């Protein structure tokens, strides 16, 4: 569900967030319109709006774990976790975490990948939120959900800054709710 469909229609913060995201055409390959959130992070007001909207949504949901997907979920997840009184758990690419890990492989459009989490980072029965910057196919979020559920967590929702309006990936999320702030921007027609 998009934030604008859930009580935030016309909220100027959503427009500010959208406008702060730079579109880089043909990156990392031809035909891709890359949604660059680094420019959102440079705009402290838009960055704060992003975190505030997520915090307002999740503050009263008894979430004890905010799981951020590498790497851009790390930029939003810790701030959200601190504000709602939850711990932050990084879901990393293979061989990035020291110590014992649990892994979940998943399919991408162009191959396979894997997410890992420290063993013992999440306890059975904990209520978890998964945060990432963007959802396209849903493969990464689906792997995150599976990883958390394998250790007994209850995944309450997935939250993304950007999502396609026809989010095909939502059907891959095993029925878990998806909350999206803005749709992807097209390149500006300024030049």
């Amino acid at each position: 569900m998009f934030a604008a469909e859930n009580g935030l229609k016309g909220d100027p913060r959503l427009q500010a967030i959208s406008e702060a995201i730079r579109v880089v055409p043909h990156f990392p390959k031809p035909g891709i319109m890359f949604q660059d959130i680094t420019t959102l992070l440079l705009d402290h007001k838009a960055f704060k709006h992003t975190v505030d909207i997520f915090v307002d949504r999740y503050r009263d949901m008894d979430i004890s774990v905010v799981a951020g997907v590498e790497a851009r979920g790390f930029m939003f997840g810790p701030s959200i976790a601190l504000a709602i009184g939850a711990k932050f758990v990084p879901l990393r690419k293979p061989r990035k975490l020291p110590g014992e890990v649990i892994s979940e492989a998943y399919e991408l459009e162009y191959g396979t990948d894997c997410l890992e989490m420290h063993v013992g980072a999440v306890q059975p029965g904990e209520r978890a939120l998964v945060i990432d910057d963007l959802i396209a196919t849903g493969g990464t979020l689906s792997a995150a959900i599976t990883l958390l559920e394998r250790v007994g967590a209850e995944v309450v929702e997935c939250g993304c800054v950007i999502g396609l309006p026809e989010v095909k990936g939502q059907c891959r999320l095993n029925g878990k709710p998806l909350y999206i702030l803005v749709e992807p921007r097209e390149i500006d027609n300024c030049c």
Side-chain angles (χ1 to χ4, degrees):
M1 136 187 14
F2 281 89
E5 299 166 353
N6 190 44
L8 294 180
K9 185 171 181 138
D11 190 318
R13 297 177 299 173
L14 294 176
Q15 183 173 352
I17 292 165
S18 181
E19 290 174 356
I21 298 166
R22 175 176 54 179
V23 179
V24 181
H26 309 297
F27 182 82
K29 61 184 185 178
I32 301 293
M33 299 297 277
F34 186 78
Q35 307 291 308
D36 182 12
I37 57 126
T38 61
T39 51
L40 169 65
L41 301 172
L42 294 172
D43 181 334
H44 72 279
K45 288 181 183 176
F47 183 31
K48 184 176 184 324
H49 292 329
T50 303
V51 172
D52 287 349
I53 291 170
F54 282 128
V55 168
D56 288 346
R57 178 162 180 85
Y58 299 117
R59 177 180 285 122
D60 297 321
M61 290 189 177
D62 290 326
I63 291 168
S64 56
V65 174
V66 175
V69 176
E70 184 169 342
R72 292 177 292 273
F74 295 0
M75 296 175 190
F76 303 101
S79 297
I80 296 164
L82 281 172
I84 67 172
K87 62 184 170 184
F88 176 74
V89 175
L91 304 180
R92 306 267 345 238
K93 300 292 183 180
R95 295 172 302 284
K96 300 282 185 172
L97 291 171
E100 190 178 356
V101 297
I102 181 172
S103 311
E104 184 66 33
Y106 61 98
E107 297 290 323
L108 296 168
E109 292 178 60
Y110 49 86
T112 61
D113 210 339
C114 182
L115 287 178
E116 294 183 342
M117 174 177 72
H118 275 127
V119 169
V122 177
Q123 301 304 312
E126 287 197 282
R127 291 172 52 86
L129 164 67
V130 179
I131 293 288
D132 204 356
D133 69 324
L134 181 138
I135 180 169
T137 66
T140 307
L141 289 178
S142 182
I145 291 166
T146 301
L147 191 59
L148 290 161
E149 288 180 339
R150 282 177 48 204
V151 297
E154 175 192 349
V155 177
V156 175
E157 190 164 87
C158 295
C160 294
V161 178
I162 308 163
L164 304 174
E166 66 280 359
V167 183
K168 303 271 190 282
Q170 188 167 6
C171 64
R172 294 181 68 181
L173 301 182
N174 304 330
K176 300 299 178 194
L178 173 64
Y179 187 70
I180 299 167
L181 299 189
V182 299
E183 294 181 19
R185 290 187 45 231
E186 297 296 324
I187 191 163
D188 299 323
N189 294 325
C190 63
C191 306

